[in-house]
Amino acid sequence: MPSTTPATTLLDELLQNLRDAPAVERLPDDRFDRSHECFERSSNQQLQILEWLARLVAEEFTGASPLRVLSVGCGSGILDLPLLDA
């Protein structure tokens, strides 16, 4: 019998809870957009990402070649314009 670690036990418990959870109805697109915009207005995560990127560019980028940034998982793409400006 394989030994179980606390992490394995927690993962098993999480997976079981997900299997037992009731189905969640998908939010209509317009409701999601309004909710997401409200969340983003109250969050500083985008500002923190932009500040981190600005520091990275200032400290690491020599300008010898174009800087390329792939925007992945940034939600609505709201960070793309500030990234382009930077």
Side-chain angles (χ1 to χ4, degrees):
M1 174 176 212
S3 65
T4 59
T5 65
T8 303
T9 304
L10 287 173
L11 179 59
D12 291 338
E13 209 172 296
L14 173 63
L15 291 172
Q16 185 60 50
N17 286 337
L18 289 172
R19 283 189 289 272
D20 295 342
V24 177
E25 192 171 321
R26 184 179 182 273
L27 285 178
D29 290 343
D30 62 328
R31 173 76 189 277
F32 172 82
D33 291 342
R34 288 192 313 271
S35 300
H36 185 70
E37 179 62 30
C38 181
F39 167 77
E40 291 297 350
R41 275 196 311 268
S42 65
S43 170
N44 68 347
Q45 71 175 346
Q46 292 175 349
L47 179 60
Q48 288 180 333
I49 291 168
L50 289 171
E51 289 172 348
W52 176 81
L53 283 169
R55 283 193 310 274
L56 177 70
V57 169
E59 295 168 4
E60 303 286 333
F61 184 61
T62 63
S65 61
L67 178 65
R68 296 178 184 185
V69 177
L70 175 62
S71 177
V72 177
C74 292
S76 64
I78 199 166
L79 282 176
D80 293 338
L81 288 176
L83 282 174
L84 290 172
D85 290 342

